[in-house]
Amino acid sequence: MQTRTTAAYHLQAVLSFALSGTALGVGIAFLPVEPWTRAFLAVGLLYTITSTFTLAKVVRDRQETTELVTRVDQARLDKLLTEHDPFKVEGV
């Protein structure tokens, strides 16, 4: 299978994710609120991050399954088309 993304795109996505998570973490750390409020926001941030990874995996798995089924169906169709002879007359 061919890779659909370039190395630069992959690096940009990783850096963007790291920067946004770090910025939000620093923002929560320096927020002028009580520690329990800060802890609640930090747990919310971690939950959002783990949910994002789970969603990305589910979407990727569904796409891979769809591609595999499509390839199997295409192979069956190709086999039927190669075996079919439109000029063949049955019973002659």
Side-chain angles (χ1 to χ4, degrees):
M1 295 187 85
Q2 293 180 345
T3 302
R4 293 188 178 115
T5 58
T6 63
Y9 180 75
H10 179 76
L11 179 65
Q12 178 186 1
V14 170
L15 289 177
S16 175
F17 179 78
L19 180 64
S20 65
T22 302
L24 190 54
V26 168
I28 290 172
F30 289 107
L31 196 63
V33 294
E34 296 179 18
W36 70 269
T37 306
R38 193 175 301 128
F40 176 77
L41 292 173
V43 168
L45 172 63
L46 292 176
Y47 182 64
T48 301
I49 290 171
T50 57
S51 297
T52 302
F53 280 112
T54 302
L55 177 62
K57 183 185 179 320
V58 167
V59 169
R60 183 200 65 206
D61 290 348
R62 181 172 285 178
Q63 180 183 6
E64 287 177 353
T65 301
T66 302
E67 287 178 1
L68 179 63
V69 169
T70 302
R71 282 192 289 170
V72 169
D73 289 343
Q74 184 64 41
R76 287 180 183 160
L77 179 62
D78 290 345
K79 181 181 178 196
L80 284 172
L81 289 175
T82 56
E83 291 174 353
H84 176 69
D85 184 6
F87 300 110
K88 182 178 179 182
V89 177
E90 297 293 326
V92 174

